[in-house]
Short mmCIF file of all heavy atoms in Angstrom, two decimals:
data_model
loop_
_atom_site.label_atom_id
_atom_site.label_comp_id
_atom_site.label_asym_id
_atom_site.label_seq_id
_atom_site.Cartn_x
_atom_site.Cartn_y
_atom_site.Cartn_z
N TYR A 245 -7.34 -0.84 -4.41
CA TYR A 245 -6.67 -2.17 -4.62
C TYR A 245 -7.61 -3.31 -4.16
O TYR A 245 -7.68 -4.36 -4.79
CB TYR A 245 -5.36 -2.14 -3.80
CG TYR A 245 -4.58 -3.40 -3.85
CD1 TYR A 245 -3.77 -3.73 -4.96
CD2 TYR A 245 -4.61 -4.30 -2.78
CE1 TYR A 245 -3.08 -4.88 -4.98
CE2 TYR A 245 -3.90 -5.51 -2.78
CZ TYR A 245 -3.09 -5.81 -3.90
OH TYR A 245 -2.39 -6.94 -3.92
N GLU A 246 -8.35 -3.07 -3.05
CA GLU A 246 -9.23 -4.13 -2.51
C GLU A 246 -10.33 -4.47 -3.51
O GLU A 246 -10.77 -5.61 -3.58
CB GLU A 246 -9.86 -3.63 -1.21
CG GLU A 246 -9.29 -4.22 0.05
CD GLU A 246 -8.80 -5.69 -0.03
OE1 GLU A 246 -9.67 -6.56 -0.26
OE2 GLU A 246 -7.61 -5.96 0.12
N ILE A 247 -10.83 -3.39 -4.25
CA ILE A 247 -11.83 -3.69 -5.26
C ILE A 247 -11.30 -4.56 -6.39
O ILE A 247 -11.96 -5.51 -6.81
CB ILE A 247 -12.35 -2.32 -5.86
CG1 ILE A 247 -12.97 -1.45 -4.83
CG2 ILE A 247 -13.32 -2.54 -7.05
CD1 ILE A 247 -14.34 -1.86 -4.35
N LEU A 248 -10.06 -4.35 -6.75
CA LEU A 248 -9.41 -5.14 -7.79
C LEU A 248 -9.32 -6.59 -7.29
O LEU A 248 -9.50 -7.58 -8.04
CB LEU A 248 -8.09 -4.54 -8.20
CG LEU A 248 -8.10 -3.21 -8.88
CD1 LEU A 248 -6.72 -2.70 -9.22
CD2 LEU A 248 -8.98 -3.24 -10.14
N ARG A 249 -8.91 -6.72 -6.06
CA ARG A 249 -8.83 -8.08 -5.50
C ARG A 249 -10.17 -8.77 -5.49
O ARG A 249 -10.24 -9.99 -5.80
CB ARG A 249 -8.30 -8.01 -4.01
CG ARG A 249 -6.78 -7.90 -3.96
CD ARG A 249 -6.32 -7.91 -2.51
NE ARG A 249 -6.66 -9.16 -1.76
CZ ARG A 249 -5.82 -10.23 -1.66
NH1 ARG A 249 -4.65 -10.15 -2.23
NH2 ARG A 249 -6.22 -11.26 -1.01
N GLU A 250 -11.20 -8.08 -5.19
CA GLU A 250 -12.58 -8.62 -5.21
C GLU A 250 -12.96 -9.09 -6.59
O GLU A 250 -13.56 -10.17 -6.82
CB GLU A 250 -13.64 -7.64 -4.77
CG GLU A 250 -13.80 -7.48 -3.25
CD GLU A 250 -14.80 -6.38 -2.90
OE1 GLU A 250 -15.84 -6.26 -3.66
OE2 GLU A 250 -14.55 -5.65 -1.99
N LEU A 251 -12.55 -8.30 -7.62
CA LEU A 251 -12.89 -8.62 -8.98
C LEU A 251 -12.07 -9.84 -9.42
O LEU A 251 -12.62 -10.78 -10.11
CB LEU A 251 -12.56 -7.47 -9.91
CG LEU A 251 -13.47 -6.18 -9.70
CD1 LEU A 251 -13.04 -5.08 -10.62
CD2 LEU A 251 -14.98 -6.61 -9.95
N ILE A 252 -10.86 -9.92 -9.01
CA ILE A 252 -10.02 -11.09 -9.42
C ILE A 252 -10.53 -12.36 -8.72
O ILE A 252 -10.42 -13.42 -9.29
CB ILE A 252 -8.51 -10.80 -9.04
CG1 ILE A 252 -8.07 -9.81 -10.13
CG2 ILE A 252 -7.71 -12.10 -9.09
CD1 ILE A 252 -6.70 -9.25 -9.87
N ASP A 253 -11.15 -12.21 -7.60
CA ASP A 253 -11.78 -13.36 -6.94
C ASP A 253 -12.88 -13.94 -7.80
O ASP A 253 -13.09 -15.22 -7.81
CB ASP A 253 -12.33 -12.94 -5.57
CG ASP A 253 -12.36 -14.13 -4.60
OD1 ASP A 253 -11.46 -15.00 -4.76
OD2 ASP A 253 -13.24 -14.15 -3.74
N LEU A 254 -13.49 -13.16 -8.63
CA LEU A 254 -14.53 -13.66 -9.58
C LEU A 254 -13.85 -14.43 -10.68
O LEU A 254 -14.37 -15.53 -11.15
CB LEU A 254 -15.30 -12.51 -10.17
CG LEU A 254 -16.08 -11.66 -9.18
CD1 LEU A 254 -16.73 -10.48 -9.85
CD2 LEU A 254 -17.12 -12.49 -8.42
N GLY A 255 -12.63 -14.02 -11.11
CA GLY A 255 -11.88 -14.77 -12.04
C GLY A 255 -11.46 -16.11 -11.46
O GLY A 255 -11.54 -17.21 -12.05
N ARG A 256 -11.06 -16.07 -10.20
CA ARG A 256 -10.57 -17.25 -9.52
C ARG A 256 -11.68 -18.34 -9.43
O ARG A 256 -11.39 -19.52 -9.50
CB ARG A 256 -10.15 -16.88 -8.09
CG ARG A 256 -9.50 -17.95 -7.24
CD ARG A 256 -9.15 -17.45 -5.84
NE ARG A 256 -10.32 -17.17 -4.99
CZ ARG A 256 -10.93 -18.10 -4.25
NH1 ARG A 256 -10.50 -19.27 -4.26
NH2 ARG A 256 -11.97 -17.69 -3.51
N LEU A 257 -12.94 -17.88 -9.25
CA LEU A 257 -14.02 -18.81 -9.07
C LEU A 257 -14.60 -19.33 -10.42
O LEU A 257 -15.45 -20.16 -10.44
CB LEU A 257 -15.21 -18.10 -8.32
CG LEU A 257 -14.87 -17.71 -6.89
CD1 LEU A 257 -16.01 -16.87 -6.29
CD2 LEU A 257 -14.60 -18.88 -5.99
N SER A 258 -14.04 -18.88 -11.49
CA SER A 258 -14.59 -19.19 -12.84
C SER A 258 -14.06 -20.55 -13.33
O SER A 258 -13.14 -21.10 -12.78
CB SER A 258 -14.21 -18.12 -13.82
OG SER A 258 -14.79 -16.87 -13.42
N ALA A 259 -14.70 -21.01 -14.40
CA ALA A 259 -14.36 -22.34 -14.97
C ALA A 259 -12.92 -22.34 -15.50
O ALA A 259 -12.42 -21.27 -15.92
CB ALA A 259 -15.33 -22.66 -16.07
N SER A 260 -12.32 -23.47 -15.43
CA SER A 260 -10.88 -23.60 -15.91
C SER A 260 -10.73 -25.01 -16.50
O SER A 260 -11.13 -26.01 -15.85
CB SER A 260 -9.98 -23.43 -14.72
OG SER A 260 -8.67 -23.73 -15.07
N ALA A 261 -10.22 -25.08 -17.72
CA ALA A 261 -10.04 -26.41 -18.39
C ALA A 261 -9.21 -27.31 -17.48
O ALA A 261 -8.08 -26.94 -17.03
CB ALA A 261 -9.29 -26.18 -19.74
N ALA A 262 -9.75 -28.48 -17.26
CA ALA A 262 -9.11 -29.50 -16.37
C ALA A 262 -8.84 -28.97 -14.96
O ALA A 262 -8.08 -29.53 -14.23
CB ALA A 262 -7.83 -30.07 -17.01
N ASN A 263 -9.50 -27.89 -14.68
CA ASN A 263 -9.31 -27.18 -13.40
C ASN A 263 -7.82 -26.90 -13.07
O ASN A 263 -7.41 -26.86 -11.89
CB ASN A 263 -9.97 -27.96 -12.25
CG ASN A 263 -10.34 -27.06 -11.05
OD1 ASN A 263 -10.52 -25.86 -11.23
ND2 ASN A 263 -10.41 -27.57 -9.83
N MET A 264 -7.07 -26.67 -14.11
CA MET A 264 -5.63 -26.41 -13.97
C MET A 264 -5.34 -25.02 -13.29
O MET A 264 -4.35 -24.80 -12.69
CB MET A 264 -4.90 -26.49 -15.29
CG MET A 264 -4.95 -27.84 -15.93
SD MET A 264 -3.93 -29.03 -15.09
CE MET A 264 -2.29 -28.63 -15.75
N GLN A 265 -6.25 -24.08 -13.52
CA GLN A 265 -6.11 -22.71 -12.97
C GLN A 265 -4.73 -22.10 -13.26
O GLN A 265 -4.00 -21.74 -12.27
CB GLN A 265 -6.43 -22.76 -11.48
CG GLN A 265 -7.78 -23.33 -11.19
CD GLN A 265 -8.06 -23.68 -9.72
OE1 GLN A 265 -8.15 -22.79 -8.94
NE2 GLN A 265 -8.15 -24.95 -9.44
N PRO A 266 -4.39 -21.95 -14.47
CA PRO A 266 -3.11 -21.41 -14.85
C PRO A 266 -3.02 -19.88 -14.79
O PRO A 266 -1.92 -19.29 -14.97
CB PRO A 266 -2.91 -21.91 -16.30
CG PRO A 266 -4.28 -21.88 -16.82
CD PRO A 266 -5.20 -22.31 -15.72
N LEU A 267 -4.17 -19.20 -14.59
CA LEU A 267 -4.12 -17.73 -14.71
C LEU A 267 -3.46 -17.09 -13.50
O LEU A 267 -3.67 -17.54 -12.33
CB LEU A 267 -5.51 -17.20 -14.92
CG LEU A 267 -6.28 -17.70 -16.14
CD1 LEU A 267 -7.68 -17.04 -16.25
CD2 LEU A 267 -5.47 -17.49 -17.46
N ARG A 268 -2.73 -15.99 -13.79
CA ARG A 268 -2.17 -15.19 -12.78
C ARG A 268 -2.49 -13.75 -13.12
O ARG A 268 -2.76 -13.41 -14.31
CB ARG A 268 -0.66 -15.36 -12.68
CG ARG A 268 -0.17 -16.81 -12.37
CD ARG A 268 -0.61 -17.17 -10.91
NE ARG A 268 -0.23 -18.58 -10.59
CZ ARG A 268 -0.97 -19.62 -10.76
NH1 ARG A 268 -2.22 -19.48 -11.27
NH2 ARG A 268 -0.59 -20.86 -10.40
N TYR A 269 -2.43 -12.80 -12.16
CA TYR A 269 -2.87 -11.48 -12.38
C TYR A 269 -1.90 -10.45 -11.85
O TYR A 269 -1.25 -10.68 -10.81
CB TYR A 269 -4.24 -11.26 -11.70
CG TYR A 269 -5.31 -12.24 -12.12
CD1 TYR A 269 -5.48 -13.47 -11.55
CD2 TYR A 269 -6.16 -11.86 -13.22
CE1 TYR A 269 -6.52 -14.37 -11.93
CE2 TYR A 269 -7.13 -12.77 -13.61
CZ TYR A 269 -7.32 -14.02 -13.02
OH TYR A 269 -8.30 -14.87 -13.42
N ILE A 270 -1.80 -9.39 -12.59
CA ILE A 270 -1.09 -8.20 -12.04
C ILE A 270 -2.11 -7.03 -12.00
O ILE A 270 -2.82 -6.84 -12.93
CB ILE A 270 0.12 -7.83 -12.97
CG1 ILE A 270 1.14 -8.94 -12.93
CG2 ILE A 270 0.69 -6.47 -12.56
CD1 ILE A 270 2.28 -8.77 -13.91
N LEU A 271 -2.07 -6.38 -10.85
CA LEU A 271 -3.06 -5.28 -10.69
C LEU A 271 -2.36 -3.99 -10.74
O LEU A 271 -1.21 -3.85 -10.34
CB LEU A 271 -3.72 -5.39 -9.29
CG LEU A 271 -4.02 -6.73 -8.63
CD1 LEU A 271 -4.77 -6.51 -7.37
CD2 LEU A 271 -4.82 -7.53 -9.65
N SER A 272 -3.10 -2.94 -11.13
CA SER A 272 -2.56 -1.59 -11.10
C SER A 272 -3.67 -0.61 -10.80
O SER A 272 -4.63 -0.59 -11.53
CB SER A 272 -1.86 -1.25 -12.40
OG SER A 272 -1.46 0.12 -12.38
N CYS A 273 -3.49 0.13 -9.78
CA CYS A 273 -4.42 1.27 -9.54
C CYS A 273 -3.61 2.50 -9.15
O CYS A 273 -4.12 3.50 -8.52
CB CYS A 273 -5.49 0.94 -8.51
SG CYS A 273 -4.85 0.29 -6.99
N ASP A 274 -2.33 2.49 -9.53
CA ASP A 274 -1.44 3.54 -9.20
C ASP A 274 -1.17 4.35 -10.49
O ASP A 274 -0.95 3.74 -11.59
CB ASP A 274 -0.12 2.88 -8.68
CG ASP A 274 1.08 3.81 -8.79
OD1 ASP A 274 1.26 4.59 -7.86
OD2 ASP A 274 1.78 3.74 -9.76
N SER A 275 -1.24 5.68 -10.42
CA SER A 275 -1.24 6.50 -11.65
C SER A 275 0.05 6.27 -12.48
O SER A 275 -0.01 6.24 -13.69
CB SER A 275 -1.49 7.99 -11.36
OG SER A 275 -0.49 8.42 -10.43
N LYS A 276 1.22 6.11 -11.80
CA LYS A 276 2.49 5.89 -12.52
C LYS A 276 2.43 4.56 -13.29
O LYS A 276 2.85 4.46 -14.42
CB LYS A 276 3.68 5.94 -11.55
CG LYS A 276 4.12 7.36 -11.24
CD LYS A 276 5.55 7.35 -10.75
CE LYS A 276 5.84 8.75 -10.20
NZ LYS A 276 6.24 8.76 -8.79
N LYS A 277 2.02 3.51 -12.54
CA LYS A 277 2.03 2.23 -13.18
C LYS A 277 0.94 2.19 -14.27
O LYS A 277 1.14 1.60 -15.34
CB LYS A 277 1.76 1.18 -12.11
CG LYS A 277 2.01 -0.25 -12.51
CD LYS A 277 1.93 -1.16 -11.26
CE LYS A 277 1.91 -2.64 -11.59
NZ LYS A 277 1.65 -3.45 -10.41
N ASN A 278 -0.18 2.86 -14.05
CA ASN A 278 -1.21 2.95 -15.07
C ASN A 278 -0.68 3.58 -16.37
O ASN A 278 -0.96 3.11 -17.45
CB ASN A 278 -2.36 3.80 -14.57
CG ASN A 278 -3.28 3.08 -13.54
OD1 ASN A 278 -3.13 1.86 -13.37
ND2 ASN A 278 -4.25 3.76 -12.98
N ALA A 279 0.10 4.62 -16.20
CA ALA A 279 0.63 5.34 -17.39
C ALA A 279 1.57 4.43 -18.14
O ALA A 279 1.60 4.43 -19.34
CB ALA A 279 1.32 6.65 -16.87
N LEU A 280 2.32 3.66 -17.40
CA LEU A 280 3.26 2.76 -18.03
C LEU A 280 2.55 1.65 -18.84
O LEU A 280 2.96 1.35 -19.97
CB LEU A 280 4.02 2.05 -16.85
CG LEU A 280 5.47 1.80 -17.03
CD1 LEU A 280 6.20 2.65 -16.04
CD2 LEU A 280 5.82 0.38 -16.76
N ILE A 281 1.45 1.15 -18.29
CA ILE A 281 0.70 0.15 -18.98
C ILE A 281 0.01 0.72 -20.21
O ILE A 281 0.04 0.19 -21.32
CB ILE A 281 -0.38 -0.54 -18.00
CG1 ILE A 281 0.38 -1.29 -16.89
CG2 ILE A 281 -1.32 -1.43 -18.76
CD1 ILE A 281 -0.53 -1.70 -15.73
N PHE A 282 -0.59 1.94 -20.03
CA PHE A 282 -1.43 2.53 -21.07
C PHE A 282 -0.64 2.61 -22.40
O PHE A 282 -1.21 2.37 -23.49
CB PHE A 282 -1.88 3.92 -20.65
CG PHE A 282 -2.59 4.67 -21.70
CD1 PHE A 282 -3.93 4.43 -21.90
CD2 PHE A 282 -2.00 5.63 -22.50
CE1 PHE A 282 -4.66 5.13 -22.91
CE2 PHE A 282 -2.64 6.26 -23.52
CZ PHE A 282 -3.96 6.07 -23.73
N GLN A 283 0.64 2.98 -22.34
CA GLN A 283 1.34 3.24 -23.57
C GLN A 283 1.59 2.01 -24.38
O GLN A 283 2.05 2.09 -25.57
CB GLN A 283 2.66 3.98 -23.27
CG GLN A 283 3.53 3.27 -22.31
CD GLN A 283 4.84 3.98 -22.06
OE1 GLN A 283 5.47 4.51 -22.96
NE2 GLN A 283 5.26 4.06 -20.78
N HIS A 284 1.29 0.82 -23.87
CA HIS A 284 1.53 -0.41 -24.57
C HIS A 284 0.25 -1.08 -25.10
O HIS A 284 0.25 -2.27 -25.44
CB HIS A 284 2.36 -1.37 -23.76
CG HIS A 284 3.65 -0.79 -23.31
ND1 HIS A 284 4.59 -0.35 -24.20
CD2 HIS A 284 4.17 -0.57 -22.04
CE1 HIS A 284 5.63 0.12 -23.54
NE2 HIS A 284 5.42 -0.03 -22.24
N LEU A 285 -0.87 -0.25 -25.10
CA LEU A 285 -2.13 -0.81 -25.50
C LEU A 285 -2.64 -0.05 -26.72
O LEU A 285 -2.31 1.06 -26.92
CB LEU A 285 -3.17 -0.60 -24.39
CG LEU A 285 -2.76 -1.11 -23.00
CD1 LEU A 285 -3.81 -0.80 -21.96
CD2 LEU A 285 -2.42 -2.58 -23.00
N ALA A 286 -3.43 -0.80 -27.57
CA ALA A 286 -4.02 -0.20 -28.70
C ALA A 286 -5.59 -0.22 -28.58
O ALA A 286 -6.16 -1.18 -28.10
CB ALA A 286 -3.65 -0.94 -30.00
N TRP A 287 -6.20 0.87 -28.99
CA TRP A 287 -7.61 1.08 -28.70
C TRP A 287 -8.45 1.20 -30.00
O TRP A 287 -8.04 1.85 -30.94
CB TRP A 287 -7.80 2.39 -27.94
CG TRP A 287 -7.11 2.38 -26.62
CD1 TRP A 287 -5.82 2.68 -26.39
CD2 TRP A 287 -7.69 2.06 -25.37
NE1 TRP A 287 -5.50 2.52 -25.06
CE2 TRP A 287 -6.69 2.14 -24.39
CE3 TRP A 287 -8.98 1.74 -24.95
CZ2 TRP A 287 -6.90 1.92 -23.04
CZ3 TRP A 287 -9.19 1.43 -23.53
CH2 TRP A 287 -8.11 1.56 -22.65
N ALA A 288 -9.62 0.49 -29.97
CA ALA A 288 -10.70 0.72 -30.95
C ALA A 288 -10.19 0.75 -32.41
O ALA A 288 -10.24 1.81 -33.05
CB ALA A 288 -11.45 1.98 -30.61
N MET A 289 -9.78 -0.40 -32.88
CA MET A 289 -9.20 -0.46 -34.28
C MET A 289 -10.09 0.13 -35.37
O MET A 289 -9.64 0.57 -36.38
CB MET A 289 -8.80 -1.88 -34.64
CG MET A 289 -9.95 -2.86 -34.70
SD MET A 289 -9.46 -4.55 -35.11
CE MET A 289 -8.94 -4.41 -36.76
N TYR A 290 -11.45 0.05 -35.16
CA TYR A 290 -12.34 0.62 -36.23
C TYR A 290 -12.48 2.13 -36.18
O TYR A 290 -13.07 2.68 -37.14
CB TYR A 290 -13.74 -0.04 -36.11
CG TYR A 290 -13.74 -1.51 -36.35
CD1 TYR A 290 -14.56 -2.36 -35.60
CD2 TYR A 290 -12.95 -2.11 -37.37
CE1 TYR A 290 -14.56 -3.78 -35.79
CE2 TYR A 290 -13.02 -3.54 -37.59
CZ TYR A 290 -13.77 -4.29 -36.78
OH TYR A 290 -13.80 -5.65 -37.00
N LEU A 291 -12.08 2.73 -35.08
CA LEU A 291 -12.21 4.21 -35.01
C LEU A 291 -10.87 4.82 -35.53
O LEU A 291 -9.97 5.07 -34.73
CB LEU A 291 -12.54 4.67 -33.62
CG LEU A 291 -13.76 4.04 -32.96
CD1 LEU A 291 -14.01 4.65 -31.62
CD2 LEU A 291 -14.98 4.29 -33.86
N LYS A 292 -10.80 4.99 -36.84
CA LYS A 292 -9.50 5.33 -37.45
C LYS A 292 -9.00 6.68 -36.99
O LYS A 292 -7.76 6.92 -37.05
CB LYS A 292 -9.63 5.27 -38.97
CG LYS A 292 -9.90 3.85 -39.50
CD LYS A 292 -8.82 2.87 -39.21
CE LYS A 292 -9.16 1.43 -39.73
NZ LYS A 292 -8.42 0.42 -39.02
N ASP A 293 -9.82 7.60 -36.68
CA ASP A 293 -9.38 8.93 -36.26
C ASP A 293 -9.34 9.18 -34.82
O ASP A 293 -9.40 10.26 -34.31
CB ASP A 293 -10.25 10.05 -36.98
CG ASP A 293 -11.77 9.80 -36.61
OD1 ASP A 293 -12.05 8.78 -35.95
OD2 ASP A 293 -12.55 10.64 -36.95
#
Side-chain angles (χ1 to χ4, degrees):
Y245 180 78
E246 258 324 298
I247 297 287
L248 295 179
R249 277 182 63 93
E250 277 178 39
L251 293 177
I252 286 169
D253 207 29
L254 300 176
R256 184 181 74 84
L257 296 174
S258 298
S260 172
N263 205 24
M264 296 289 279
Q265 304 168 68
L267 301 182
R268 299 293 179 269
Y269 301 89
I270 292 175
L271 324 186
S272 174
C273 50
D274 161 84
S275 57
K276 277 200 190 123
K277 197 170 168 187
N278 284 352
L280 220 113
I281 295 169
F282 176 82
Q283 57 180 316
H284 302 304
L285 309 178
W287 298 82
M289 64 180 292
Y290 295 141
L291 304 181
K292 297 295 179 204
D293 55 354

